[in-house]
Amino acid sequence: MKHLYPPFLAFLFSTTLTVAQPTSTQREADLSRFLQDLFPVQTEGIDYQAVFDVLTQLYASPLDLNTATRDELETTYILSERQLTNLLAYRAELGNLLSIYELQAVPDFDLNTIRRLRPFVTVASGPRLFGALPTPTDNYLLVRYERILEEQVGFSEAAPNKSGKLPTRYNGGPGQLFVRYRYSRPRQFSFGLTFEKDPGETWVWQPANRRYGADFVSFHVQLQNRGRWRNVLLGDYQMQAGQGLVLSAGFALGKNAETVQTVRRPTLGARAYTSLMESGFFRGATATYAIHQNLDLTLLASHVRRDANTADDTIATSLQTSGLHRTPSELDDRGSLAETNLGAHLLYHPRQQVQFGLTMLRTTYDKFFQRRALTYNNYEFTGRQNLVIGLHGGYVWRNWNFFGEVARSSGSRTNSGGIGAVGGALASLTKRLDMAVVFRHYDRNFHSFYANAFSEGSRNINETGAYLGLKYSVYRKLTLSSFIDFYRFPWWKYLVDKPSAGFDYLVQARYMPNRQTAFSFIFHDERKEKNLPGSKTTPREVVGTTRRNVALNADYKPMRSLSMRSRVQWGSFQYAGRAASNGFVLVQDATLDYRRWSLSGRVALFGTDDYDSRLYVYERDVLYAFSFPAYFNRGVRHYLLVQHDLNKHLTLWLRWARTDLTNQETVGSDLDQINAPHKTEVKLQARWRF
């Protein structure tokens, strides 16, 4: 491989730069900046909380550059196919890297890429100047408390109504409590225990009703790389295989400002589940065994109770995914549907350039599942049992990465039997131009409950589409990227009373004149068909809609310890033949880092005509917490986040946020309503590292 530094020079280069390794506060700032760049504007079909959980889990257990596979490195969403190929070739020819900054010796790696990659990678297994050092262990206890200071209707005293009955109120107090203990050594073992109580929920010890203090309790025990046993996991987990048509574990960013690298799903196997989302995971056991050096077999078994609406003791009509159990009706839905999963995944990987896999998942419910008798539900799953079998494959040739998966579902009723298929390619066409192409087709009766393959909708059903993404480096400081996606839905959807179609496209320009300054421009245009509000016809009249978002960002550092970000965003939503609903937001962020202190703040001025023109802007939060609120109505929002490393063991966070509305007398609705034009949120967090 040409243009590589000799090993000795690379060694000297890396050892002189290891002193520049970032502090934990700097790494957290890098993570926050990376997340803001990934989510410049909101797009449909993305579970932002799941993506955030995956990225923060990767942040907590960085990948070892010397042992990470190509699929694992792709989960960072940063490296192009050319960079991945060059890095693997560099490792094969020159051996282990000595430092993260030795990446500067790898062709096509630049300082900006290395800085973006820094929060998610480490060099732990390579030789050191003073001998081998053990992989660092992550051993911490995290406690978080948050609440809304104003009184919400659900927590107020209830007065009898005219019939003499008391109106519904939340059972518990307004505080939210989260406790997590984690002890892990990357690629070796992990133990985790999580407790969470949402606002309005109560602490109850009723083992007979599956309640163990906190409303949500999650745990896992994991062992990795024990001889032929590549992975053994007990407790709560997720599984990522192929392109996600059968099993997908949240590594699915979909369409966003990263227009190329995020469309392919990596095969990562079973991962411990550490999110606070109370759905979408397995609970039981899974194990991966190496039958041969190039052949792995994974088996999984799970039994978990899902929240569901039930018509009686024998029929379930829908699943509930909010995880909230605050009122009698929500408690009635809690764990009302027992779900059992049995699955297997056989993966053949003769080398990192080739892989083939066979995946199977059988899901069984203890109640007959049947959605409400509405036209758009005609092809939805009905019955007690569903089986999905899929085949996936991938091939890397030079700087091309081809991938695909096809799956078929079959159930206990005649409305199953659909096909799902997705395939495409990533390519570094030149040193400056990267491309992604994806085609997908999901039958209206394709049922895969744990799928999250590339799509426009939130589920892989009733959709056909084609996507093209490009990224072009005009020169070192200026990058242009864009995507266009066409899709159609052969059957009715919720709020769309006919087969429909649409397309959307995004254009982004990013200019970095120096290390301290960056400017970006994002334009996103989305065209879909929806029911016309107020339509009295049967079926309802369906018209075209247009949603647009424009955002301008400026990142700059007036001084070494002070980072600033300014943002202007405008959005609109319009039904064909009606006036557009418009909205804007002006945002100013600042972060000051001084020794063991970090202080972040924001002031945002916003105004929208209604909820249709709402705007989403990512907010910095305490570590492992996610904030991506919708700004709508008219008013001002501001927050202050303080972080202090008290010593090498204890880190404290305090976050205070407030929204003041100028055109409303209340905030929220129903039981969440605040009878005042403002809302104040307070969050306290402490982490003790053992």
Side-chain angles (χ1 to χ4, degrees):
M1 185 177 179
K2 59 183 180 179
H3 305 309
L4 293 179
Y5 288 5
F8 179 69
L9 292 180
F11 171 79
L12 292 179
F13 178 76
S14 62
T15 53
T16 57
L17 286 180
T18 49
V19 295
Q21 292 284 354
T23 65
S24 60
T25 301
Q26 289 172 326
R27 289 184 67 243
E28 290 173 23
D30 289 342
L31 173 64
S32 178
R33 191 176 304 111
F34 177 72
L35 291 169
Q36 290 183 70
D37 292 339
L38 276 182
F39 307 142
V41 293
Q42 192 206 39
T43 56
E44 294 186 13
I46 299 178
D47 188 337
Y48 288 95
Q49 182 64 57
V51 172
F52 174 80
D53 291 336
V54 167
L55 291 174
T56 52
Q57 183 178 356
L58 182 59
Y59 163 83
S61 301
L63 296 171
D64 185 349
L65 284 173
N66 291 325
T67 59
T69 65
R70 189 183 188 111
D71 271 357
E72 288 175 329
L73 290 169
E74 284 189 352
T75 62
T76 62
Y77 305 121
I78 294 173
L79 301 179
S80 69
E81 294 305 310
R82 183 178 297 272
Q83 290 170 325
L84 288 165
T85 298
N86 288 343
L87 175 57
L88 295 177
Y90 184 96
R91 280 188 349 196
E93 184 170 338
L94 297 180
N96 288 343
L97 281 72
L98 305 173
S99 161
I100 294 173
Y101 296 96
E102 190 181 340
L103 289 172
Q104 294 177 83
V106 180
D108 298 312
F109 274 76
D110 55 79
L111 286 175
N112 181 49
T113 299
I114 296 171
R115 282 195 294 269
R116 295 179 67 213
L117 192 63
R118 189 172 59 177
F120 308 111
V121 297
T122 186
V123 172
S125 60
R128 304 286 179 158
L129 185 61
F130 300 106
L133 294 175
T135 303
T137 297
D138 203 15
N139 187 7
Y140 68 87
L141 176 66
L142 188 76
V143 180
R144 181 193 308 153
Y145 177 82
E146 56 185 292
R147 64 163 295 174
I148 295 171
L149 296 185
E150 291 85 356
E151 184 181 63
Q152 296 172 289
V153 171
F155 301 107
S156 64
E157 292 187 8
N161 54 30
K162 294 181 179 179
S163 62
K165 296 182 179 180
L166 291 175
T168 301
R169 291 292 184 264
Y170 294 144
N171 294 329
Q176 179 175 357
L177 182 63
F178 162 58
V179 179
R180 171 187 289 167
Y181 174 70
R182 185 79 181 269
Y183 180 60
S184 63
R185 193 183 297 272
R187 301 180 69 88
Q188 294 188 35
F189 67 85
S190 177
F191 170 77
L193 185 62
T194 298
F195 300 91
E196 191 222 22
K197 183 199 81 72
D198 289 308
E201 296 177 341
T202 58
W203 289 80
V204 177
W205 185 264
Q206 294 177 344
N209 295 324
R210 301 174 300 279
R211 304 194 66 180
Y212 306 95
D215 181 78
F216 179 61
V217 179
S218 176
F219 82 98
H220 74 267
V221 178
Q222 182 180 26
L223 292 176
Q224 293 176 280
N225 301 312
R226 296 296 193 271
R228 287 181 175 266
W229 293 98
R230 298 191 187 276
N231 194 5
V232 178
L233 211 162
L234 303 176
D236 295 344
Y237 61 93
Q238 287 182 313
M239 183 79 180
Q240 176 76 30
Q243 294 309 301
L245 274 182
V246 182
L247 295 167
S248 183
F251 290 83
L253 198 51
K255 296 183 292 185
N256 65 95
E258 175 47 65
T259 58
V260 175
Q261 294 306 124
T262 58
V263 301
R264 179 186 179 273
R265 309 290 188 257
T267 295
L268 299 171
R271 293 293 174 107
Y273 186 74
T274 59
S275 173
L276 294 182
M277 298 175 63
E278 300 180 29
S279 61
F281 61 90
F282 297 115
R283 175 166 289 175
T286 181
T288 300
Y289 182 77
I291 300 174
H292 181 269
Q293 181 181 359
N294 300 322
L295 185 64
D296 297 340
L297 174 64
T298 300
L299 300 176
L300 69 87
S302 167
H303 182 77
V304 64
R305 302 197 71 89
R306 300 294 188 203
D307 294 353
N309 287 330
T310 56
D312 52 40
D313 291 336
T314 60
I315 297 178
T317 58
S318 65
L319 296 176
Q320 298 297 314
T321 59
S322 69
L324 298 174
H325 309 113
R326 307 161 299 178
T327 63
S329 60
E330 291 175 346
L331 286 170
D332 288 340
D333 294 339
R334 188 181 190 273
S336 59
L337 182 67
E339 176 188 286
T340 301
N341 284 281
L342 296 175
H345 179 232
L346 189 64
L347 180 65
Y348 177 60
H349 50 101
R351 54 189 186 276
Q352 292 211 36
Q353 286 74 27
V354 180
Q355 63 174 233
F356 298 100
L358 171 66
T359 313
M360 181 276 291
L361 181 67
R362 181 187 294 275
T363 303
T364 305
Y365 294 125
D366 70 336
K367 292 181 175 64
F368 192 85
F369 196 95
Q370 184 171 14
R371 294 184 182 271
R372 292 184 299 162
L374 299 171
T375 304
Y376 69 84
N377 284 332
N378 282 358
Y379 294 94
E380 291 286 351
F381 170 78
T382 299
R384 291 178 179 268
Q385 185 172 277
N386 188 61
L387 174 67
V388 191
I389 299 177
L391 288 169
H392 69 85
Y395 176 64
V396 177
W397 177 71
R398 295 183 179 178
N399 297 319
W400 286 78
N401 190 337
F402 301 93
F403 57 89
E405 184 172 15
V406 60
R408 183 180 187 273
S409 65
S410 59
S412 54
R413 293 292 294 265
T414 56
N415 68 336
S416 291
I419 298 291
V422 59
L426 304 177
S428 290
L429 301 178
T430 69
K431 289 186 176 181
R432 293 187 176 184
L433 180 62
D434 295 327
M435 178 188 72
V437 179
V438 183
F439 300 95
R440 76 271 190 187
H441 172 77
Y442 313 126
D443 282 343
R444 67 191 75 179
N445 60 339
F446 175 65
H447 305 138
S448 187
F449 305 145
Y450 288 88
N452 194 6
F454 187 89
S455 67
E456 165 63 20
S458 58
R459 297 188 300 146
N460 299 142
I461 187 172
N462 185 35
E463 178 179 332
T464 298
Y467 171 95
L468 172 66
L470 297 171
K471 181 192 289 186
Y472 181 67
S473 296
V474 180
Y475 69 109
R476 182 171 54 88
K477 297 180 180 181
L478 177 62
T479 302
L480 304 178
S481 56
S482 179
F483 75 71
I484 186 166
D485 189 33
F486 294 92
Y487 37 82
R488 62 184 181 86
F489 310 105
W491 187 243
W492 294 25
K493 292 163 56 70
Y494 177 64
L495 297 182
V496 188
D497 288 3
K498 75 169 189 177
S500 60
F503 71 92
D504 69 314
Y505 63 92
L506 179 144
V507 178
Q508 176 178 247
R510 185 170 178 82
Y511 176 60
M512 296 184 63
N514 52 58
R515 290 182 57 182
Q516 288 75 36
T517 311
F519 301 96
S520 64
F521 166 82
I522 303 100
F523 176 75
H524 184 218
D525 188 289
E526 184 179 52
R527 312 291 179 93
K528 286 184 176 180
E529 295 176 289
K530 293 185 177 181
N531 291 347
L532 184 67
S535 172
K536 303 300 183 181
T537 63
T538 303
R540 291 177 176 83
E541 181 182 358
V542 177
V543 299
T545 67
T546 302
R547 183 183 296 277
R548 292 191 176 99
N549 271 285
V550 180
L552 292 170
N553 282 315
D555 293 87
Y556 45 98
K557 296 189 70 171
M559 59 185 68
R560 183 176 181 181
S561 59
L562 179 62
S563 301
M564 308 281 286
R565 167 170 284 209
S566 302
R567 180 183 183 93
V568 179
Q569 185 170 337
W570 171 86
S572 72
F573 180 83
Q574 183 178 22
Y575 289 97
R578 293 191 175 183
S581 169
N582 298 299
F584 77 93
V585 60
L586 306 175
V587 181
Q588 181 61 57
D589 293 339
T591 299
L592 177 65
D593 296 310
Y594 179 72
R595 296 182 179 178
R596 295 182 176 181
W597 291 87
S598 179
L599 181 65
S600 299
R602 163 176 294 179
V603 176
L605 175 67
F606 61 92
T608 70
D609 293 336
D610 51 39
Y611 186 72
D612 283 339
S613 55
R614 63 195 179 276
L615 298 168
Y616 292 86
V617 184
Y618 174 83
E619 296 183 347
R620 190 171 180 180
D621 211 324
V622 302
L623 185 63
Y624 304 136
F626 178 73
S627 182
F628 199 22
Y631 288 41
F632 62 96
N633 287 318
R634 298 182 183 276
V636 177
R637 179 169 172 83
H638 46 283
Y639 73 80
L640 185 66
L641 173 64
V642 181
Q643 176 183 343
H644 178 50
D645 295 324
L646 197 62
N647 52 49
K648 66 178 182 179
H649 297 291
L650 182 61
T651 302
L652 303 174
W653 289 264
L654 169 64
R655 188 177 192 267
W656 180 88
R658 181 180 172 102
T659 301
D660 289 274
L661 300 180
T662 58
N663 67 328
Q664 298 286 328
E665 295 300 322
T666 62
V667 178
S669 60
D670 297 328
L671 295 180
D672 290 331
Q673 179 174 304
I674 297 171
N675 293 319
H678 51 79
K679 178 180 179 180
T680 309
E681 309 148 61
V682 174
K683 189 176 299 184
L684 297 169
Q685 179 168 289
R687 180 184 61 185
W688 179 269
R689 286 187 177 273
F690 295 91

